[in-house]
């Protein structure tokens, strides 16, 4: 197995742990983003941390997105004492947004031998709709700027 195969497997495994922590039965793109932020030593991680997006900052942005989405339908999280989510009874499977993010990451590379962690980050960021772009927007971050930074890291051949 190549280094990138090990990296992708590690990100999916960490994404599964993030999904279980959320009580989700599916690994989605935002779980992959949390996993990328938690994995040190890659250009993708450096791009995120340079923008102030460590794992906790992403978690906070996702929590704000959840509250904002509920408030859009008239539900205030502050009005309820919500319990922590229970872990999903079965290991989570890849959800649609995670599969699309991985596909977009592969597409961003010229071939599998050129695939690097920043390609996977690009795949997660390269969507106009969904939890990730809403959370980043609510956090005041420019998704296009993050994508440009990831592309710069790739141009510099950074792992």
């Amino acid at each position: 197995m190549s280094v990138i195969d090990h990296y992708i497997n590690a990100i999916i495994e960490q994404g599964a742990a993030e999904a279980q922590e959320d009580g989700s039965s599916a690994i989605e793109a935002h779980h992959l983003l949390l996993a990328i932020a938690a994995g040190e030593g890659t250009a993708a991680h450096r791009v995120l941390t340079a923008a102030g997006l460590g794992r906790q900052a992403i978690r906070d942005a996702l929590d704000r997105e959840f509250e904002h989405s509920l408030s859009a339908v008239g539900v205030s999280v502050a009005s309820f004492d919500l319990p922590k989510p229970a872990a999903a009874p079965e290991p989570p499977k890849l959800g649609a947004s995670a599969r699309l993010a991985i596909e977009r990451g592969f597409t961003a590379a010229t071939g599998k031998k050129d695939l690097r962690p920043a390609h996977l980050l690009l795949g997660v960021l390269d969507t106009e709709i969904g939890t990730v772009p809403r959370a980043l927007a609510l956090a005041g971050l420019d998704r296009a700027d993050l994508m440009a930074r990831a592309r710069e890291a790739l141009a510099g051949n950074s792992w």
Side-chain angles (χ1 to χ4, degrees):
M1 213 188 275
S2 71
V3 174
I4 193 64
D5 289 328
H6 287 287
Y7 175 78
I8 292 169
N9 284 340
I11 292 302
I12 291 172
E13 286 177 14
Q14 180 62 33
E18 298 289 352
Q20 282 191 305
E21 184 178 319
D22 282 351
S24 178
S25 62
I27 305 163
E28 297 296 352
H30 62 279
H31 297 123
L32 297 180
L33 183 60
L34 286 164
I36 292 168
E40 297 180 7
T42 67
H45 180 262
R46 288 188 296 276
V47 165
L48 291 173
T49 56
L53 286 174
R55 185 196 172 280
Q56 189 57 52
I58 293 170
R59 171 57 60 202
D60 293 344
L62 291 168
D63 289 345
R64 281 192 301 279
E65 188 278 332
F66 177 72
E67 291 176 19
H68 185 265
S69 293
L70 286 177
S71 71
V73 294
V75 177
S76 169
V77 173
S79 300
F80 300 94
D81 186 23
L82 296 175
K84 284 237 178 231
E90 295 181 15
K93 307 275 190 257
L94 275 179
S97 68
R99 279 194 306 276
L100 284 171
I102 292 169
E103 279 180 30
R104 286 190 299 265
F106 274 77
T107 301
T110 55
K112 186 174 179 197
K113 65 181 176 61
D114 298 320
L115 189 64
R116 294 190 300 281
H119 287 110
L120 188 55
L121 176 59
L122 278 173
V124 171
L125 295 174
D126 189 18
T127 183
E128 301 278 329
I129 58 171
T131 303
V132 170
R134 286 192 309 266
L136 293 175
L138 286 169
L141 292 158
D142 183 349
R143 189 177 50 81
D145 180 58
L146 285 172
M147 291 174 68
R149 290 181 191 202
R151 286 188 186 102
E152 285 174 18
L154 287 166
N157 288 319
S158 297
W159 172 256

